[in-house]
Amino acid sequence: NHTTGGNRLGITPAGIVTMPGQPAFHADAGAAQTVAGTIQFTGVMTNNGNHYNSSTYTFTAPVTGIYKFSARIMKAQDATVDFHFRVNGSQVGNNLYDTATATNQLNSGTINMVRHLNSSDSVTVYSASTSGTNWIHAGHREFTGFLIG
């Protein structure tokens, strides 16, 4: 136990390492979006350390390190979807671009990123696309991340 109480790192008799304070989050849900911008992930399923903000849809790194992120969205109807990660407001990595060919065609896509972040860096998922009707489906989305080390 640290002087402030609680375990920061544990090793079970079987050799399993536990890190109960490890930053991690899983957010989902959100209303249908028909405009470009930060994708809304309003439902918080896990937020260990409270580093994900469900009002700004932003994860803020509490410490410098290597992080893993994943985002999945479902596009609805006749949508064209173009989405990517942003770190501190700037695009990182490649876009996932998908065009619907038929009305009511539903497709989902996933992007992943492993990246070094500095303490206080922010990560969001952004969509640059504005075509189609209800182009980001309500509720069928998730944004996850955690500190690797």
Side-chain angles (χ1 to χ4, degrees), residues 10 23 26 29 49-50 56 63 72-73 77 87 91 108 127 129 136 142:
H26 179 181
N50 294 314
T56 62
V63 297
R72 180 187 58 82
I73 66 166
Q77 298 181 14
V87 174
Q91 180 178 342
S108 65
S127 179
S129 177
I136 297 179
E142 57 188 346

PDB file of all heavy atoms in Angstrom, residues 10 23 26 29 49-50 56 63 72-73 77 87 91 108 127 129 136 142:
ATOM      1  N   GLY A  10      -0.293  -4.962  -8.025  1.00  0.00           N
ATOM      2  CA  GLY A  10      -0.368  -6.201  -7.271  1.00  0.00           C
ATOM      3  C   GLY A  10       0.112  -7.369  -8.109  1.00  0.00           C
ATOM      4  O   GLY A  10       0.042  -7.338  -9.339  1.00  0.00           O
ATOM      5  N   PRO A  23      -5.210   3.776 -16.225  1.00  0.00           N
ATOM      6  CA  PRO A  23      -6.203   4.539 -16.983  1.00  0.00           C
ATOM      7  C   PRO A  23      -6.814   3.696 -18.104  1.00  0.00           C
ATOM      8  O   PRO A  23      -6.093   3.077 -18.894  1.00  0.00           O
ATOM      9  CB  PRO A  23      -5.408   5.700 -17.562  1.00  0.00           C
ATOM     10  CG  PRO A  23      -4.231   5.838 -16.647  1.00  0.00           C
ATOM     11  CD  PRO A  23      -3.906   4.438 -16.215  1.00  0.00           C
ATOM     12  N   HIS A  26     -14.210   3.121 -21.735  1.00  0.00           N
ATOM     13  CA  HIS A  26     -15.054   2.561 -22.790  1.00  0.00           C
ATOM     14  C   HIS A  26     -16.320   3.407 -22.818  1.00  0.00           C
ATOM     15  O   HIS A  26     -17.078   3.425 -21.855  1.00  0.00           O
ATOM     16  CB  HIS A  26     -15.390   1.107 -22.494  1.00  0.00           C
ATOM     17  CG  HIS A  26     -16.265   0.474 -23.531  1.00  0.00           C
ATOM     18  ND1 HIS A  26     -16.694  -0.815 -23.420  1.00  0.00           N
ATOM     19  CD2 HIS A  26     -16.794   0.932 -24.690  1.00  0.00           C
ATOM     20  CE1 HIS A  26     -17.450  -1.123 -24.471  1.00  0.00           C
ATOM     21  NE2 HIS A  26     -17.533  -0.063 -25.243  1.00  0.00           N
ATOM     22  N   ALA A  29     -22.731   4.909 -27.323  1.00  0.00           N
ATOM     23  CA  ALA A  29     -23.983   5.634 -27.497  1.00  0.00           C
ATOM     24  C   ALA A  29     -23.776   7.024 -28.093  1.00  0.00           C
ATOM     25  O   ALA A  29     -22.673   7.401 -28.459  1.00  0.00           O
ATOM     26  CB  ALA A  29     -24.761   5.724 -26.186  1.00  0.00           C
ATOM     27  N   GLY A  49     -10.202   6.115 -13.536  1.00  0.00           N
ATOM     28  CA  GLY A  49      -9.399   7.324 -13.377  1.00  0.00           C
ATOM     29  C   GLY A  49     -10.107   8.585 -13.831  1.00  0.00           C
ATOM     30  O   GLY A  49      -9.595   9.688 -13.667  1.00  0.00           O
ATOM     31  N   ASN A  50     -11.280   8.450 -14.453  1.00  0.00           N
ATOM     32  CA  ASN A  50     -12.068   9.603 -14.920  1.00  0.00           C
ATOM     33  C   ASN A  50     -11.309  10.496 -15.894  1.00  0.00           C
ATOM     34  O   ASN A  50     -11.382  11.716 -15.814  1.00  0.00           O
ATOM     35  CB  ASN A  50     -12.594  10.417 -13.738  1.00  0.00           C
ATOM     36  CG  ASN A  50     -13.594   9.637 -12.926  1.00  0.00           C
ATOM     37  OD1 ASN A  50     -14.489   9.004 -13.482  1.00  0.00           O
ATOM     38  ND2 ASN A  50     -13.431   9.646 -11.623  1.00  0.00           N
ATOM     39  N   THR A  56     -17.390  16.401 -23.613  1.00  0.00           N
ATOM     40  CA  THR A  56     -16.564  16.874 -24.732  1.00  0.00           C
ATOM     41  C   THR A  56     -16.120  15.727 -25.632  1.00  0.00           C
ATOM     42  O   THR A  56     -15.471  15.965 -26.645  1.00  0.00           O
ATOM     43  CB  THR A  56     -15.313  17.617 -24.217  1.00  0.00           C
ATOM     44  OG1 THR A  56     -14.514  16.708 -23.447  1.00  0.00           O
ATOM     45  CG2 THR A  56     -15.699  18.823 -23.376  1.00  0.00           C
ATOM     46  N   VAL A  63      -0.825  10.652 -17.841  1.00  0.00           N
ATOM     47  CA  VAL A  63       0.630  10.503 -17.747  1.00  0.00           C
ATOM     48  C   VAL A  63       1.199  10.263 -19.142  1.00  0.00           C
ATOM     49  O   VAL A  63       0.490   9.817 -20.052  1.00  0.00           O
ATOM     50  CB  VAL A  63       1.045   9.324 -16.822  1.00  0.00           C
ATOM     51  CG1 VAL A  63       0.591   9.554 -15.392  1.00  0.00           C
ATOM     52  CG2 VAL A  63       0.506   8.000 -17.347  1.00  0.00           C
ATOM     53  N   ARG A  72     -15.276   2.482 -33.136  1.00  0.00           N
ATOM     54  CA  ARG A  72     -16.151   1.809 -34.098  1.00  0.00           C
ATOM     55  C   ARG A  72     -17.416   2.630 -34.237  1.00  0.00           C
ATOM     56  O   ARG A  72     -17.991   3.080 -33.249  1.00  0.00           O
ATOM     57  CB  ARG A  72     -16.521   0.407 -33.617  1.00  0.00           C
ATOM     58  CG  ARG A  72     -17.430  -0.348 -34.585  1.00  0.00           C
ATOM     59  CD  ARG A  72     -17.920  -1.655 -33.993  1.00  0.00           C
ATOM     60  NE  ARG A  72     -18.648  -1.497 -32.744  1.00  0.00           N
ATOM     61  CZ  ARG A  72     -19.944  -1.165 -32.653  1.00  0.00           C
ATOM     62  NH1 ARG A  72     -20.649  -0.917 -33.736  1.00  0.00           N
ATOM     63  NH2 ARG A  72     -20.530  -1.066 -31.475  1.00  0.00           N
ATOM     64  N   ILE A  73     -17.827   2.837 -35.481  1.00  0.00           N
ATOM     65  CA  ILE A  73     -19.104   3.503 -35.727  1.00  0.00           C
ATOM     66  C   ILE A  73     -19.877   2.728 -36.778  1.00  0.00           C
ATOM     67  O   ILE A  73     -19.304   1.967 -37.553  1.00  0.00           O
ATOM     68  CB  ILE A  73     -18.960   4.975 -36.171  1.00  0.00           C
ATOM     69  CG1 ILE A  73     -18.284   5.066 -37.525  1.00  0.00           C
ATOM     70  CG2 ILE A  73     -18.245   5.795 -35.124  1.00  0.00           C
ATOM     71  CD1 ILE A  73     -18.418   6.435 -38.156  1.00  0.00           C
ATOM     72  N   GLN A  77     -28.168   4.468 -43.518  1.00  0.00           N
ATOM     73  CA  GLN A  77     -28.843   4.891 -44.737  1.00  0.00           C
ATOM     74  C   GLN A  77     -27.857   5.156 -45.863  1.00  0.00           C
ATOM     75  O   GLN A  77     -26.949   4.360 -46.092  1.00  0.00           O
ATOM     76  CB  GLN A  77     -29.767   6.062 -44.449  1.00  0.00           C
ATOM     77  CG  GLN A  77     -30.859   5.676 -43.455  1.00  0.00           C
ATOM     78  CD  GLN A  77     -31.811   6.800 -43.171  1.00  0.00           C
ATOM     79  OE1 GLN A  77     -31.854   7.792 -43.869  1.00  0.00           O
ATOM     80  NE2 GLN A  77     -32.606   6.651 -42.136  1.00  0.00           N
ATOM     81  N   VAL A  87      -5.369  14.006 -32.180  1.00  0.00           N
ATOM     82  CA  VAL A  87      -4.615  14.239 -30.951  1.00  0.00           C
ATOM     83  C   VAL A  87      -4.352  15.732 -30.877  1.00  0.00           C
ATOM     84  O   VAL A  87      -3.783  16.320 -31.808  1.00  0.00           O
ATOM     85  CB  VAL A  87      -3.291  13.435 -30.925  1.00  0.00           C
ATOM     86  CG1 VAL A  87      -2.469  13.803 -29.701  1.00  0.00           C
ATOM     87  CG2 VAL A  87      -3.583  11.933 -30.955  1.00  0.00           C
ATOM     88  N   GLN A  91      -5.308  15.732 -36.949  1.00  0.00           N
ATOM     89  CA  GLN A  91      -5.508  14.358 -37.418  1.00  0.00           C
ATOM     90  C   GLN A  91      -4.227  13.549 -37.285  1.00  0.00           C
ATOM     91  O   GLN A  91      -3.134  14.024 -37.592  1.00  0.00           O
ATOM     92  CB  GLN A  91      -5.948  14.352 -38.881  1.00  0.00           C
ATOM     93  CG  GLN A  91      -6.158  12.947 -39.410  1.00  0.00           C
ATOM     94  CD  GLN A  91      -6.650  12.904 -40.834  1.00  0.00           C
ATOM     95  OE1 GLN A  91      -7.158  13.895 -41.353  1.00  0.00           O
ATOM     96  NE2 GLN A  91      -6.520  11.761 -41.476  1.00  0.00           N
ATOM     97  N   SER A 108     -20.498  -0.960 -40.573  1.00  0.00           N
ATOM     98  CA  SER A 108     -19.725  -0.413 -39.465  1.00  0.00           C
ATOM     99  C   SER A 108     -18.252  -0.511 -39.816  1.00  0.00           C
ATOM    100  O   SER A 108     -17.840  -1.358 -40.623  1.00  0.00           O
ATOM    101  CB  SER A 108     -20.022  -1.146 -38.150  1.00  0.00           C
ATOM    102  OG  SER A 108     -19.607  -2.486 -38.226  1.00  0.00           O
ATOM    103  N   SER A 127     -15.206  13.092 -37.437  1.00  0.00           N
ATOM    104  CA  SER A 127     -15.722  12.755 -38.756  1.00  0.00           C
ATOM    105  C   SER A 127     -15.659  13.978 -39.648  1.00  0.00           C
ATOM    106  O   SER A 127     -16.143  15.044 -39.278  1.00  0.00           O
ATOM    107  CB  SER A 127     -17.159  12.259 -38.672  1.00  0.00           C
ATOM    108  OG  SER A 127     -17.621  11.975 -39.981  1.00  0.00           O
ATOM    109  N   SER A 129     -16.891  13.802 -42.766  1.00  0.00           N
ATOM    110  CA  SER A 129     -17.913  13.592 -43.778  1.00  0.00           C
ATOM    111  C   SER A 129     -19.210  14.290 -43.406  1.00  0.00           C
ATOM    112  O   SER A 129     -19.570  14.372 -42.246  1.00  0.00           O
ATOM    113  CB  SER A 129     -18.176  12.100 -43.938  1.00  0.00           C
ATOM    114  OG  SER A 129     -19.208  11.893 -44.853  1.00  0.00           O
ATOM    115  N   ILE A 136     -24.155   8.997 -39.150  1.00  0.00           N
ATOM    116  CA  ILE A 136     -23.596   8.209 -38.060  1.00  0.00           C
ATOM    117  C   ILE A 136     -24.769   7.744 -37.219  1.00  0.00           C
ATOM    118  O   ILE A 136     -25.475   8.537 -36.612  1.00  0.00           O
ATOM    119  CB  ILE A 136     -22.560   8.989 -37.238  1.00  0.00           C
ATOM    120  CG1 ILE A 136     -21.375   9.369 -38.122  1.00  0.00           C
ATOM    121  CG2 ILE A 136     -22.096   8.151 -36.051  1.00  0.00           C
ATOM    122  CD1 ILE A 136     -20.306  10.161 -37.410  1.00  0.00           C
ATOM    123  N   GLU A 142     -18.643   2.995 -30.467  1.00  0.00           N
ATOM    124  CA  GLU A 142     -17.880   2.900 -29.225  1.00  0.00           C
ATOM    125  C   GLU A 142     -16.473   3.449 -29.433  1.00  0.00           C
ATOM    126  O   GLU A 142     -15.948   3.433 -30.537  1.00  0.00           O
ATOM    127  CB  GLU A 142     -17.837   1.471 -28.685  1.00  0.00           C
ATOM    128  CG  GLU A 142     -17.273   0.443 -29.619  1.00  0.00           C
ATOM    129  CD  GLU A 142     -17.445  -0.975 -29.096  1.00  0.00           C
ATOM    130  OE1 GLU A 142     -17.764  -1.159 -27.916  1.00  0.00           O
ATOM    131  OE2 GLU A 142     -17.252  -1.889 -29.897  1.00  0.00           O
TER     132      GLU A 142
END
